[in-house]
Amino acid sequence: MVSNLNIIEGPYLKDLLDQPVALQNTVDALEYAPFRRLHEESRRYQRIVLTGMGSSLHALYPLHLELVAAGLPSMHLETAELVHYQAELLTKRTLLVAVSQSGRSAEIVHLLDIAKERRCRLIGVTNDPMSPLAGESESLLVMHAGEESSVSCKTFVATLLVLEWLGALMLGRNLEETRAALAKSVTATEEYLAAWRRHLEAFACSLEGVGHVFVVGRGRSIAAAQTGGLILKESTHVPAEGMSSAAFRHGPFESISPQTYVMVMEGDSRTAGLNSRLAEDIRAAGGRAGLVSASAANEECRIPGSDESIRPILEILPVQMLSLALAALRGREAGRFTLGSKVTTTE
């Protein structure tokens, strides 16, 4: 136990604990009717472009993998790069899926102008049904995460849920089974967050003296890994990076020291062994590592067993606890912006 741990319980913590409600509200609002023909239409397009910024972009990665596995021509692109360097991809034969929790960031507003000019079919995903993105979308999926104070948490998990639903619509999956699987994310998230203070304190013990954090994974887990690196920087001001486990082997592994902590997502069965071995190798090299899985030895890294479709939602929860612990160790209020803002209005 870390003595005199200063936990400042601000709006960010409230948002974290509200995630089960955000997920339940989003499940309850999932619609089928506006997308009745989407399964047939998805195979008619020359390309499917999935785009967003920050956590919105990262949340699209599991959908990208699903579409590629189904033989669809999916592209996963950051919106800023798309509008400035790859706008030629946007034509009337492009299905564009744009994700933005605010629906009004500078890059998204720029994208809307280009998409309208080039007559793309636009599917929008946002938390604000009154936003420019919502207004310009031919088809709209709204997450019901509620107002969020700062760092993306409720909106990230709600985005993952909505995009899993969109994948089911595009690929013609059984929607009742999909809805039932997604609904399990509510109780699973409640189960993990019920012990939030215990998780925070356990992570604090693991993090004393740590100055650099990595979050890594493979496949669908890259969504949580990359978002994890982003929210750790935003919420704690501690240097942090999210990347694939393989990318960590190619360079960053050399930087391991006793001041390095690496959170490794075990992920699915295809690469779980590789990820487990990476955590062992990090410890053997003198670093610190936590392995996030349903069978993790440490409670703070143990997520409820789940269907593959909701695992990325659960994988971000230990990262959120990590952010609270890092901030507490430094006497900071996690999630409080000092230089930026919730919505980025400059490209």
Side-chain angles (χ1 to χ4, degrees):
M1 183 71 66
V2 178
S3 60
N4 300 318
L5 187 63
N6 182 22
I7 304 172
I8 302 175
E9 300 186 18
Y12 173 57
L13 173 59
K14 182 180 183 301
D15 284 344
L16 294 182
L17 299 180
D18 281 346
Q19 288 177 114
V21 173
L23 288 167
Q24 183 65 66
N25 290 342
T26 301
V27 169
D28 291 344
L30 293 174
E31 294 183 275
Y32 165 61
F35 302 90
R36 192 178 301 274
R37 298 179 60 83
L38 187 57
H39 174 48
E40 300 170 18
E41 294 172 350
S42 295
R43 295 189 176 274
R44 297 176 186 167
Y45 289 94
Q46 184 179 42
R47 66 183 65 88
I48 301 170
V49 174
L50 311 179
T51 190
M53 294 296 298
S55 62
S56 295
L57 174 67
H58 305 325
L60 280 160
Y61 194 64
L63 175 60
H64 170 63
L65 293 180
E66 289 182 44
L67 298 181
V68 169
L72 295 176
S74 176
M75 306 180 74
H76 181 240
L77 302 172
E78 183 187 80
T79 309
E81 290 297 295
L82 175 60
V83 298
H84 289 294
Y85 295 102
Q86 301 174 70
E88 291 74 18
L89 294 170
L90 303 177
T91 72
K92 62 183 179 181
R93 297 186 63 194
T94 301
L95 173 58
L96 178 63
V97 179
V99 180
S100 169
Q101 62 87 16
S102 71
R104 62 183 70 251
S105 63
E107 297 86 0
I108 286 293
V109 171
H110 189 169
L111 175 67
L112 294 176
D113 290 337
I114 298 173
K116 186 174 184 179
E117 177 186 343
R118 294 174 178 248
R119 294 186 295 163
C120 296
R121 163 75 187 278
L122 174 61
I123 297 177
V125 179
T126 183
N127 194 43
D128 183 354
M130 303 304 293
S131 66
L133 175 58
E136 293 293 334
S137 296
E138 184 176 338
S139 302
L140 181 65
L141 283 162
V142 179
M143 61 189 92
H144 292 263
E147 186 175 350
E148 191 170 60
S149 64
S150 61
V151 177
S152 177
C153 54
K154 294 191 295 182
T155 53
F156 178 66
V157 296
T159 300
L160 286 168
L161 191 151
V162 165
L163 291 175
E164 191 65 32
W165 180 252
L166 178 59
L169 292 166
M170 294 177 76
L171 298 175
R173 291 181 177 155
N174 184 298
L175 295 182
E176 288 306 312
E177 291 179 3
T178 299
R179 187 188 294 272
L182 294 178
K184 292 178 182 177
S185 67
V186 179
T187 53
T189 302
E190 285 178 332
E191 179 184 336
Y192 181 86
L193 291 176
W196 73 266
R197 189 178 295 274
R198 196 161 64 241
H199 297 328
L200 188 163
E201 292 173 347
F203 273 125
C205 292
S206 301
L207 294 167
E208 281 194 287
V210 164
H212 197 173
V213 180
F214 292 88
V215 188
V216 303
R218 296 175 189 252
R220 295 168 62 87
S221 298
I222 287 178
Q226 292 186 321
T227 295
L230 175 62
I231 68 170
L232 286 169
K233 287 190 283 277
E234 282 188 313
S235 61
T236 70
H237 296 195
V238 172
E241 298 178 59
M243 63 182 66
S244 76
S245 301
F248 184 82
R249 289 276 193 189
H250 288 261
F253 192 91
E254 190 64 26
S255 69
I256 291 173
S257 75
Q259 288 74 50
T260 305
Y261 181 90
V262 186
M263 177 172 280
V264 182
M265 305 298 172
E266 182 183 57
D268 64 40
S269 59
R270 282 173 287 184
T271 54
L274 294 173
N275 291 321
S276 297
R277 193 178 316 132
L278 175 60
E280 294 169 3
D281 291 347
I282 290 166
R283 297 186 192 107
R288 311 184 208 185
L291 184 67
V292 174
S293 74
S295 57
N298 297 332
E299 182 189 28
E300 66 275 17
C301 290
R302 191 184 314 131
I303 57 175
S306 66
D307 184 272
E308 181 75 6
S309 64
I310 66 170
R311 184 170 44 75
I313 293 174
L314 304 180
E315 286 175 329
I316 199 64
L317 303 179
V319 185
Q320 294 168 351
M321 297 300 104
L322 194 69
S323 72
L324 294 173
L326 281 169
L329 286 169
R330 286 156 177 77
R332 295 186 57 87
E333 178 186 335
R336 179 175 292 278
F337 290 140
T338 57
L339 298 176
S341 61
K342 179 64 178 167
V343 180
T344 301
T345 56
T346 303
E347 288 189 60

